[in-house]
PDB file of all heavy atoms in Angstrom:
ATOM      1  N   ARG A 184      62.491 -14.266 -47.622  1.00  0.00           N
ATOM      2  CA  ARG A 184      61.278 -13.490 -47.437  1.00  0.00           C
ATOM      3  C   ARG A 184      60.494 -13.431 -48.751  1.00  0.00           C
ATOM      4  O   ARG A 184      61.045 -13.228 -49.812  1.00  0.00           O
ATOM      5  CB  ARG A 184      61.656 -12.074 -47.001  1.00  0.00           C
ATOM      6  CG  ARG A 184      60.467 -11.218 -46.491  1.00  0.00           C
ATOM      7  CD  ARG A 184      60.954  -9.849 -46.075  1.00  0.00           C
ATOM      8  NE  ARG A 184      61.914  -9.957 -44.974  1.00  0.00           N
ATOM      9  CZ  ARG A 184      61.571  -9.990 -43.691  1.00  0.00           C
ATOM     10  NH1 ARG A 184      60.307  -9.960 -43.337  1.00  0.00           N
ATOM     11  NH2 ARG A 184      62.504 -10.074 -42.757  1.00  0.00           N
ATOM     12  N   TYR A 185      59.178 -13.593 -48.631  1.00  0.00           N
ATOM     13  CA  TYR A 185      58.311 -13.572 -49.825  1.00  0.00           C
ATOM     14  C   TYR A 185      58.112 -12.142 -50.302  1.00  0.00           C
ATOM     15  O   TYR A 185      58.039 -11.197 -49.523  1.00  0.00           O
ATOM     16  CB  TYR A 185      56.954 -14.208 -49.514  1.00  0.00           C
ATOM     17  CG  TYR A 185      57.026 -15.687 -49.218  1.00  0.00           C
ATOM     18  CD1 TYR A 185      56.647 -16.183 -47.990  1.00  0.00           C
ATOM     19  CD2 TYR A 185      57.433 -16.586 -50.201  1.00  0.00           C
ATOM     20  CE1 TYR A 185      56.698 -17.548 -47.730  1.00  0.00           C
ATOM     21  CE2 TYR A 185      57.500 -17.944 -49.947  1.00  0.00           C
ATOM     22  CZ  TYR A 185      57.125 -18.414 -48.694  1.00  0.00           C
ATOM     23  OH  TYR A 185      57.171 -19.755 -48.421  1.00  0.00           O
ATOM     24  N   GLY A 186      57.979 -11.995 -51.612  1.00  0.00           N
ATOM     25  CA  GLY A 186      57.574 -10.725 -52.181  1.00  0.00           C
ATOM     26  C   GLY A 186      58.602  -9.626 -52.173  1.00  0.00           C
ATOM     27  O   GLY A 186      58.257  -8.452 -52.187  1.00  0.00           O
ATOM     28  N   TYR A 187      59.903  -9.999 -52.174  1.00  0.00           N
ATOM     29  CA  TYR A 187      60.921  -8.950 -52.189  1.00  0.00           C
ATOM     30  C   TYR A 187      60.857  -8.163 -53.501  1.00  0.00           C
ATOM     31  O   TYR A 187      60.732  -8.730 -54.574  1.00  0.00           O
ATOM     32  CB  TYR A 187      62.314  -9.551 -51.998  1.00  0.00           C
ATOM     33  CG  TYR A 187      63.420  -8.533 -52.069  1.00  0.00           C
ATOM     34  CD1 TYR A 187      63.645  -7.652 -51.017  1.00  0.00           C
ATOM     35  CD2 TYR A 187      64.214  -8.412 -53.216  1.00  0.00           C
ATOM     36  CE1 TYR A 187      64.635  -6.693 -51.108  1.00  0.00           C
ATOM     37  CE2 TYR A 187      65.210  -7.455 -53.301  1.00  0.00           C
ATOM     38  CZ  TYR A 187      65.416  -6.599 -52.253  1.00  0.00           C
ATOM     39  OH  TYR A 187      66.383  -5.641 -52.340  1.00  0.00           O
ATOM     40  N   ASP A 188      60.986  -6.844 -53.391  1.00  0.00           N
ATOM     41  CA  ASP A 188      60.942  -5.944 -54.537  1.00  0.00           C
ATOM     42  C   ASP A 188      62.345  -5.791 -55.125  1.00  0.00           C
ATOM     43  O   ASP A 188      63.218  -5.161 -54.526  1.00  0.00           O
ATOM     44  CB  ASP A 188      60.391  -4.585 -54.108  1.00  0.00           C
ATOM     45  CG  ASP A 188      60.237  -3.614 -55.257  1.00  0.00           C
ATOM     46  OD1 ASP A 188      60.570  -4.008 -56.401  1.00  0.00           O
ATOM     47  OD2 ASP A 188      59.794  -2.474 -55.038  1.00  0.00           O
ATOM     48  N   LEU A 189      62.564  -6.385 -56.304  1.00  0.00           N
ATOM     49  CA  LEU A 189      63.895  -6.363 -56.906  1.00  0.00           C
ATOM     50  C   LEU A 189      64.335  -4.971 -57.380  1.00  0.00           C
ATOM     51  O   LEU A 189      65.498  -4.780 -57.685  1.00  0.00           O
ATOM     52  CB  LEU A 189      63.949  -7.357 -58.066  1.00  0.00           C
ATOM     53  CG  LEU A 189      63.937  -8.829 -57.657  1.00  0.00           C
ATOM     54  CD1 LEU A 189      63.906  -9.702 -58.916  1.00  0.00           C
ATOM     55  CD2 LEU A 189      65.155  -9.175 -56.806  1.00  0.00           C
ATOM     56  N   THR A 190      63.399  -4.022 -57.436  1.00  0.00           N
ATOM     57  CA  THR A 190      63.798  -2.679 -57.790  1.00  0.00           C
ATOM     58  C   THR A 190      64.665  -2.050 -56.694  1.00  0.00           C
ATOM     59  O   THR A 190      65.331  -1.029 -56.924  1.00  0.00           O
ATOM     60  CB  THR A 190      62.585  -1.762 -58.055  1.00  0.00           C
ATOM     61  OG1 THR A 190      61.796  -1.664 -56.841  1.00  0.00           O
ATOM     62  CG2 THR A 190      61.724  -2.353 -59.160  1.00  0.00           C
ATOM     63  N   LEU A 191      64.639  -2.676 -55.503  1.00  0.00           N
ATOM     64  CA  LEU A 191      65.448  -2.180 -54.404  1.00  0.00           C
ATOM     65  C   LEU A 191      66.874  -2.717 -54.466  1.00  0.00           C
ATOM     66  O   LEU A 191      67.711  -2.308 -53.648  1.00  0.00           O
ATOM     67  CB  LEU A 191      64.803  -2.582 -53.055  1.00  0.00           C
ATOM     68  CG  LEU A 191      63.370  -2.063 -52.819  1.00  0.00           C
ATOM     69  CD1 LEU A 191      62.822  -2.634 -51.508  1.00  0.00           C
ATOM     70  CD2 LEU A 191      63.349  -0.536 -52.803  1.00  0.00           C
ATOM     71  N   GLY A 192      67.135  -3.629 -55.392  1.00  0.00           N
ATOM     72  CA  GLY A 192      68.459  -4.208 -55.507  1.00  0.00           C
ATOM     73  C   GLY A 192      68.418  -5.720 -55.368  1.00  0.00           C
ATOM     74  O   GLY A 192      67.345  -6.310 -55.248  1.00  0.00           O
ATOM     75  N   PRO A 193      69.583  -6.385 -55.393  1.00  0.00           N
ATOM     76  CA  PRO A 193      69.615  -7.842 -55.250  1.00  0.00           C
ATOM     77  C   PRO A 193      68.950  -8.327 -53.969  1.00  0.00           C
ATOM     78  O   PRO A 193      68.987  -7.655 -52.937  1.00  0.00           O
ATOM     79  CB  PRO A 193      71.123  -8.142 -55.219  1.00  0.00           C
ATOM     80  CG  PRO A 193      71.776  -6.975 -55.903  1.00  0.00           C
ATOM     81  CD  PRO A 193      70.909  -5.796 -55.560  1.00  0.00           C
ATOM     82  N   ASN A 194      68.301  -9.471 -54.068  1.00  0.00           N
ATOM     83  CA  ASN A 194      67.615 -10.040 -52.903  1.00  0.00           C
ATOM     84  C   ASN A 194      68.600 -10.286 -51.770  1.00  0.00           C
ATOM     85  O   ASN A 194      69.553 -11.052 -51.930  1.00  0.00           O
ATOM     86  CB  ASN A 194      66.950 -11.348 -53.324  1.00  0.00           C
ATOM     87  CG  ASN A 194      66.053 -11.938 -52.245  1.00  0.00           C
ATOM     88  OD1 ASN A 194      66.421 -11.978 -51.078  1.00  0.00           O
ATOM     89  ND2 ASN A 194      64.866 -12.371 -52.629  1.00  0.00           N
ATOM     90  N   PRO A 195      68.395  -9.671 -50.602  1.00  0.00           N
ATOM     91  CA  PRO A 195      69.366  -9.814 -49.492  1.00  0.00           C
ATOM     92  C   PRO A 195      69.435 -11.239 -48.958  1.00  0.00           C
ATOM     93  O   PRO A 195      70.497 -11.658 -48.420  1.00  0.00           O
ATOM     94  CB  PRO A 195      68.846  -8.850 -48.441  1.00  0.00           C
ATOM     95  CG  PRO A 195      67.402  -8.621 -48.768  1.00  0.00           C
ATOM     96  CD  PRO A 195      67.306  -8.740 -50.240  1.00  0.00           C
TER      97      PRO A 195
END
Side-chain angles (χ1 to χ4, degrees):
R184 192 180 298 273
Y185 294 117
Y187 177 74
D188 183 0
L189 288 176
T190 62
L191 301 175
N194 188 315

